Amino acid sequence: MAALYEPGAILDTGNGQLACGRDAIRRFYAKLVAAGRKFDLGDQRPAIINRDLALTSTRLADGTVTAEIARRQGDGNWLWVIDQPSIARYS
């Protein structure tokens, strides 16, 4: 999961806390998986793209919405730089 993020990305982990950097994001998701947390695919909305930035979002079955900002990398791939998943699901 952490490979989807730029090395310096930030992830909103809820309660005003941020995971800063790919290693912290990896640790956050590792704890969720270890706790047995499941991830819903949801309804991914079309990306809004402006040059090398994209806003992505997903509406989940419970009605909550995620929001992510991705940046196009030199090789053409996209990596998230800011991620606000559906925090209520993690708290």
Side-chain angles (χ1 to χ4, degrees):
M1 190 81 159
L4 298 173
Y5 295 86
E6 283 191 353
I10 61 170
L11 170 73
D12 181 347
T13 61
N15 300 320
Q17 301 295 309
L18 298 174
C20 299
R22 192 180 281 161
D23 289 338
I25 292 169
R26 181 179 293 112
R27 287 190 299 272
F28 173 76
Y29 281 118
K31 287 180 187 176
L32 288 182
V33 171
R37 180 68 64 176
K38 303 292 183 198
F39 299 92
D40 295 330
L41 295 178
D43 177 28
Q44 188 167 0
R45 310 306 304 153
I48 300 170
I49 300 172
N50 183 4
R51 299 182 188 185
D52 289 337
L53 293 176
L55 173 64
T56 60
S57 64
T58 302
R59 180 173 302 280
L60 302 175
D62 65 4
T64 59
V65 178
T66 70
E68 307 84 26
I69 298 173
R71 183 179 2 243
R72 188 186 337 252
Q73 306 299 298
D75 63 4
N77 287 317
W78 293 86
L79 294 177
W80 287 321
V81 290
I82 301 172
D83 186 4
Q84 184 180 40
S86 178
I87 300 307
R89 303 180 56 76
Y90 303 138
S91 301

